[in-house]
Amino acid sequence: MKMKFTKMHGCGNDYVYVDCMDRMLPNPGKISEFVSRRRFGIGSDGLICICPSDKADFRMRMFNADASEGKMCGNGSRCIAKYVYDKGLTRKDTITLETLGGIKTIHMTVEQGKVVLAEVDMGQAVVRTADVPMDWPEETCVDQPVVFAGPDGKGFTVRGTAVSMGNPHFVTFVEDVETAPVEAVGRIIETSPVFPERTNVEFVQIVDENHVKFRVWERGSGETWACGTGACAVGYTCVTLGKAGKRGEFLKVEAKGGMLQVRTGEGDAMTLKGPATTVYEGEIELPEELLEESLK
């Protein structure tokens, strides 16, 4: 089976996008695992399927590089908006998108018939640990020391904040993101039983009162160059703890792949703004065993 696809990214957070308006892909998790392999596949942080919805204009199904299905992707949402507008699937410059993390509204900036920027109403930041979810004795975990078990069985402590943006995040502050132990520590926190559904982990450096940098260990994909929901978790945490940004104003949140802007509004409603870029389009032959496995 040949699959047509479009490679897109938001600040380096890259996915393979497939039009599934007429038919959903068979075995999309395994297809995501296959195409995501860098050097051996297309190379991406995962696969995003653009599907019809009876609740919104479109529906997103996103799959990580390890074949697991994710609930929400802020960068992916912006790219979907660009995809459906640029390809004429809609003529509206504001659309709604159904995700497993809720329905999101996306506003597009269009120049010369193409989307160059998109702003997503990301919903409310949630810190109730039962909703993150996080196995924690208190109702919230905001700037608290949390003990994790290292590979040698010894415990180590990381101070952080647990936030849900439709998917779980653990935000911790560091002096320098370039030297932060993103893979070593991120992998341990992601898979810790403290987070029963695993978690994304953000390492944040304060640059000044209006600008922060972060690196992210993304659940199911490893370190990625950006994460939209992660940027929102970072923005919320910075404003809540008084480390950077002001409520109601956009904070510059710089990822490895570029600059995002995040606003924490009334009732902790989060807004994400940033670019969406089409890299190239192509067609790939999918192995028969992937399709055969989907029929079992």
Side-chain angles (χ1 to χ4, degrees):
M1 170 184 167
K2 291 185 177 180
M3 182 184 78
K4 293 182 178 180
F5 68 90
T6 301
K7 178 76 178 290
M8 306 181 76
H9 77 86
C11 290
N13 190 195
D14 60 337
Y15 287 88
V16 172
Y17 292 78
V18 179
D19 183 344
C20 296
M21 294 298 291
D22 293 328
R23 184 178 64 177
M24 184 59 190
L25 291 174
N27 212 4
K30 286 295 184 182
I31 291 175
S32 178
E33 188 175 37
F34 175 76
V35 301
S36 296
R37 298 178 302 168
R38 302 192 186 274
R39 300 181 183 86
F40 298 100
I42 298 169
S44 67
D45 292 327
L47 170 76
I48 290 182
C49 300
I50 304 167
C51 309
S53 172
D54 57 5
K55 300 176 182 177
D57 292 314
F58 300 94
R59 180 165 66 104
M60 172 175 74
R61 290 190 67 187
M62 61 89 60
F63 298 86
N64 297 308
D66 69 351
S68 62
E69 185 166 8
K71 290 185 177 181
M72 174 56 189
C73 177
N75 291 316
S77 298
R78 296 200 317 279
C79 287
I80 284 180
K82 177 174 176 62
Y83 184 105
V84 298
Y85 188 92
D86 288 2
K87 288 186 172 292
L89 299 182
T90 184
R91 285 295 90 196
K92 299 191 293 184
D93 59 10
T94 296
I95 63 168
T96 54
L97 181 67
E98 180 187 353
T99 77
L100 290 179
I103 294 177
K104 311 301 178 185
T105 301
I106 310 171
H107 314 275
M108 295 171 253
T109 299
V110 180
E111 295 180 0
Q112 298 180 340
K114 301 289 185 181
V115 173
V116 296
L117 193 72
E119 184 175 310
V120 188
D121 295 334
M122 296 287 287
Q124 183 182 24
V126 176
V127 292
R128 186 171 177 265
T129 49
D131 296 327
V132 171
M134 180 185 188
D135 185 4
W136 187 248
E138 300 176 27
E139 188 173 356
T140 63
C141 178
V142 177
D143 195 29
Q144 293 294 316
V146 182
V147 178
F148 299 98
D152 58 0
K154 295 181 180 178
F156 66 97
T157 300
V158 179
R159 179 175 288 274
T161 298
V163 185
S164 172
M165 284 304 309
N167 54 1
H169 296 269
F170 186 73
V171 180
T172 186
F173 291 90
V174 296
E175 289 295 323
D176 183 359
V177 291
E178 296 304 321
T179 58
V182 174
E183 180 173 358
V185 174
R187 187 186 302 276
I188 291 170
I189 296 177
E190 177 201 356
T191 58
S192 168
V194 172
F195 294 98
E197 294 182 7
R198 298 189 294 166
T199 190
N200 304 281
V201 188
E202 286 75 32
F203 299 79
V204 186
Q205 174 188 341
I206 305 299
V207 178
D208 60 41
E209 61 182 8
N210 298 310
H211 178 197
V212 301
K213 292 181 178 180
F214 82 111
R215 288 171 64 189
V216 56
W217 180 265
E218 193 164 344
R219 176 179 63 167
S221 293
E223 184 175 8
T224 57
W225 280 41
C227 176
T229 55
C232 288
V234 167
Y236 167 83
T237 303
C238 287
V239 169
T240 299
L241 299 181
K243 290 183 177 291
K246 295 180 181 178
R247 191 171 292 272
E249 299 180 6
F250 276 104
L251 171 67
K252 292 188 291 184
V253 181
E254 184 179 353
K256 194 172 183 180
M259 188 69 73
L260 296 165
Q261 296 184 65
V262 174
R263 181 175 62 210
T264 306
E266 292 299 320
D268 298 332
M270 305 302 299
T271 304
L272 172 70
K273 182 164 62 175
T277 304
T278 298
V279 183
Y280 64 89
E281 297 187 325
E283 188 174 82
I284 188 171
E285 184 76 39
L286 299 175
E288 288 299 325
E289 54 265 31
L290 286 184
L291 309 180
E292 291 170 1
E293 187 174 339
S294 72
L295 298 176
K296 293 179 181 179

